[in-house]
Amino acid sequence: MTMAKRERIYLFDTTLRDGQQTPGVDFSVEDKIAVAKLLDDFGFDYVEGGYPGANPTDTAFFSKKRTGNAAFVAFGMTKRAGVSASNDPGLAALLQSASDAICFVAKSWDYHVRVALGCTNEENLESITASVEASVAAGKETMVDCEHFFDGYKANPDYALACAKAAHDAGSRWVVLCDTNGGTQPAEIREIVSAVIAAGIPGAHLGIHAHDDTGQAVANSLAAVEAGVRQIQGTLNGIGERCGNANLVTILPTLALKPAYAERFTTGIPTEKLADLSRLSHGFDELLNRAPEPQAPYVGASAFATKAGIHASAVLKEPETYEHVPPESVGNTRRVMVSDQGGKSNFIAELKRRGVAVDKADPRLDTLIALVKEREAEGYAYEGADASFELLARRTLGRVPEFFRVDGFRCMVERRFDANGELKTVSEAVVRVTVDGETLMSVAEGHGPVNALDIALRKDLGKYQAEISDLALADYKVRILNGGTEAITRVLIESFDGTGARWWTVGVSDNIIDASFQALMDSIVYKLVKNRDKADAAEENAA
């Protein structure tokens, strides 16, 4: 099929409006500006920014245009019943905002018109018509989100269609069908979208807005596309109220890389731009200060990870055996994981990826495999701690220098009343290390014993201190592996540095402080090893 025959799908991002309804997510104006730039640079067609007039943040955000290429969309309600369009303050705020487009939300379920709006069905239709006409007259690209459309259609198809037609007939560029409660099934979506098109609204003017309450927002969006809609609304990483919205990070590569869609449709985002998709997804999570979902389709750390030995062996010979798209096409990487499930193929592949060459017949490889299996039986989890695995492998193969030696550490936690009579808990740590024969002692206070220990350990490493100045901890996870207060504890630490590289380390002990210390030590040593690998590579290139 030739490129010219492919139909255009428009991608509408509502992260800054619908996504803000996610529990725990609250964007500042600066956050909104940063996310709008991410979305605009990536190539989404529409960036919906919020509800000007509804709160100070959104009003300030819409004081100027925040996108260069994408249409900048303001969201708001249609005018109230009984008030003319020119006298409605909410509508005025939308028309006066520095937006290119307005997306109105309109009730399309007669039950909601009666209960939520308290007006007649006819008054609601009049509000849709007058609002669209006012927006079109103001020179804004106009669209209407028909809220609860699918539930409304099932309850009263004639009225739901009347709402959609009122929007279309008044000049709305897009009529967006919303599965607001997220309970509609893909087969129902197909059937109802087909009925809307048959009733006279062309698919080229229809959109879909799906919620994920049955885990089918992506499936429902694609079902709507198959039935004829040409705009998809969704959010980055599927954030949104309750169970979230349709995930554009999943929908986009499906449209672009799966022949069932790629041969029929095109988006405004070039296929080669998908190589930045993982970075976009993870960068957004970073902005939200949350860990990326490891099993997210396409972009998750585990999306192309293989653990079982027989699968790993096949992936190394022919990646297509267990990969539905090449990982690099979406900016991800293949991971053949090492664990007590893995055979030699896994280990050799992981070591090779890290620049450590080892022969299959090398007896040290058998030693390493036995060591990993033994340590995983004790509670270590190397599949989630790549840096600790690499250090264990390098040590087993004799390749890690001793940068420094920790001679001992002490942690103290004191709970006392201060001079004002307020109860305070103070944590202090003392660490004694030897670097090049010189003993150094560091003392630090912190928010808890682990934080104090981390600060003290990194306070003075002599000649290595400057090398770890950009090292920071991103995440700290504790898992109890068996019951009771004497339980074995596993600590996973995620670290990153100024280069943007991230790595995970693990520690296991019946003492949480000791487990944490193991993981902290591995993190620092890995950083020093990484620095030397980088320097060696630079020397080789120069030579």
Side-chain angles (χ1 to χ4, degrees):
M1 193 173 284
T2 62
M3 297 286 283
K5 290 183 180 174
R6 295 194 299 168
E7 290 186 68
R8 179 78 149 82
I9 301 292
Y10 294 84
L11 299 174
F12 182 114
D13 184 279
T14 179
T15 299
L16 294 174
R17 199 269 305 172
D18 244 9
Q20 184 156 289
Q21 297 179 52
T22 311
V25 172
D26 190 22
F27 297 118
S28 65
V29 176
E30 291 73 25
D31 290 337
K32 288 201 160 200
I33 291 168
V35 175
K37 183 169 179 7
L38 279 177
L39 296 165
D40 191 33
D41 290 347
F42 201 79
F44 289 99
D45 298 295
Y46 296 93
V47 173
E48 186 179 60
Y51 199 152
N55 59 69
T57 299
D58 285 359
T59 301
F61 185 56
F62 277 95
S63 63
K64 61 167 82 168
K65 183 167 154 61
R66 305 291 184 179
T67 57
N69 302 307
F72 188 42
V73 187
F75 176 89
M77 289 182 66
T78 54
K79 78 165 189 69
R80 289 171 298 167
V83 177
S84 69
S86 55
N87 286 326
D88 189 290
L91 181 55
L94 292 172
L95 297 175
Q96 289 159 16
S97 69
S99 67
D100 304 301
I102 293 174
C103 182
F104 291 108
V105 60
K107 304 292 184 190
S108 56
W109 186 358
D110 57 355
Y111 165 65
H112 273 262
V113 173
R114 186 179 78 252
V115 173
L117 297 182
C119 68
T120 67
N121 287 356
E122 290 68 30
E123 285 173 324
N124 182 50
L125 292 174
E126 194 271 328
S127 290
I128 294 171
T129 299
S131 300
V132 171
E133 288 174 346
S135 174
V136 171
K140 306 275 191 185
E141 182 176 350
T142 308
M143 54 198 91
V144 174
D145 274 12
C146 290
E147 195 179 29
H148 296 284
F149 183 83
F150 294 95
D151 290 321
Y153 184 90
K154 285 184 269 187
N156 184 341
D158 291 341
Y159 187 68
L161 282 171
C163 294
K165 290 183 86 167
H168 179 254
D169 293 347
S172 188
R173 165 67 183 92
W174 294 103
V175 178
V176 182
L177 311 179
C178 302
D179 185 28
T180 310
N181 289 347
T184 310
Q185 302 302 297
E188 295 176 299
I189 296 275
R190 278 192 197 87
E191 184 185 334
I192 294 171
V193 168
S194 299
V196 173
I197 293 171
I201 304 177
H205 287 268
L206 287 175
I208 180 71
H209 180 110
H211 282 258
D212 206 34
D213 296 75
T214 64
Q216 296 182 103
V218 169
N220 281 343
S221 300
L222 295 171
V225 166
E226 288 163 11
V229 311
R230 295 296 175 258
Q231 187 204 87
I232 301 173
Q233 295 196 356
T235 60
L236 287 181
N237 296 341
I239 71 167
E241 64 180 331
R242 302 187 315 274
C243 305
N245 285 48
N247 187 349
L248 291 179
V249 174
T250 302
I251 289 170
L252 173 57
T254 301
L255 289 173
L257 301 176
K258 295 299 171 187
Y261 300 105
E263 290 173 1
R264 294 178 57 200
F265 306 113
T266 182
T267 70
I269 299 171
T271 304
E272 56 271 18
K273 187 71 176 171
L274 291 183
D276 292 327
L277 190 66
S278 295
R279 191 181 299 119
L280 171 73
S281 173
H282 299 163
F284 179 62
D285 277 327
E286 187 64 49
L287 194 141
L288 294 182
N289 195 28
R290 67 181 199 173
E293 166 53 52
Q295 289 189 297
Y298 295 102
V299 298
S302 299
F304 299 97
T306 308
K307 185 170 173 178
I310 191 167
H311 292 190
S313 180
V315 162
L316 295 172
K317 291 171 189 164
E318 293 286 344
E320 295 80 6
T321 51
Y322 285 96
E323 290 175 357
H324 66 109
V325 296
E328 55 276 7
S329 67
V330 287
N332 209 337
T333 53
R334 177 177 304 120
R335 286 171 67 214
V336 178
M337 299 162 79
V338 292
S339 72
D340 58 2
Q341 307 261 320
K344 279 192 176 182
S345 296
N346 300 53
F347 284 83
I348 292 169
E350 270 302 284
L351 292 168
K352 184 179 177 184
R353 188 166 75 84
R354 297 168 185 283
V356 180
V358 60
D359 190 85
K360 197 169 185 177
D362 191 326
R364 293 177 301 175
L365 180 61
D366 295 319
T367 304
L368 176 62
I369 293 171
L371 197 52
V372 166
K373 294 192 176 188
E374 179 186 318
R375 294 188 124 210
E376 290 220 334
E378 293 169 11
Y380 287 83
Y382 289 111
E383 65 194 55
D386 53 352
S388 285
F389 165 70
E390 183 170 335
L391 289 177
L392 180 67
R394 286 180 183 245
R395 286 184 182 118
T396 308
L397 301 169
R399 292 189 177 98
V400 177
E402 185 182 62
F403 300 104
F404 59 91
R405 185 178 73 249
V406 176
D407 299 315
F409 70 82
R410 185 173 75 247
C411 282
M412 184 176 69
V413 179
E414 183 185 6
R415 199 165 189 255
R416 56 178 164 78
F417 289 95
D418 65 11
N420 298 319
E422 298 206 359
L423 194 61
K424 290 279 163 100
T425 303
V426 181
S427 298
E428 183 183 275
V430 181
V431 177
R432 200 169 62 253
V433 299
T434 299
V435 182
D436 274 357
E438 182 187 0
T439 299
L440 306 165
M441 184 176 283
S442 299
V443 182
E445 285 190 348
H447 300 292
V450 175
N451 180 240
L453 189 59
D454 176 36
I455 296 168
L457 179 60
R458 293 196 279 151
K459 204 169 191 178
D460 189 0
L461 283 181
K463 67 181 184 181
Y464 301 115
Q465 190 59 32
E467 286 193 50
I468 62 165
S469 60
D470 64 338
L471 172 64
L473 302 189
D475 203 4
Y476 172 86
K477 293 190 176 90
V478 178
R479 174 108 185 262
I480 304 302
L481 300 179
N482 53 10
T485 52
E486 76 291 351
I488 300 295
T489 303
R490 177 167 68 217
V491 169
L492 276 168
I493 287 177
E494 180 184 4
S495 307
F496 68 98
D497 64 14
T499 68
R502 289 177 174 268
W503 59 93
W504 286 259
T505 51
V506 64
V508 172
S509 173
D510 58 2
N511 184 304
I512 189 172
I513 306 300
D514 185 48
S516 302
F517 188 75
Q518 291 174 36
L520 287 169
M521 278 278 290
D522 269 8
S523 174
I524 293 168
V525 173
Y526 180 78
K527 164 73 172 164
L528 295 172
V529 168
K530 190 168 76 80
N531 286 355
R532 269 138 202 81
D533 284 352
K534 203 171 172 184
D536 291 346
E539 275 182 34
E540 279 179 30
N541 290 338

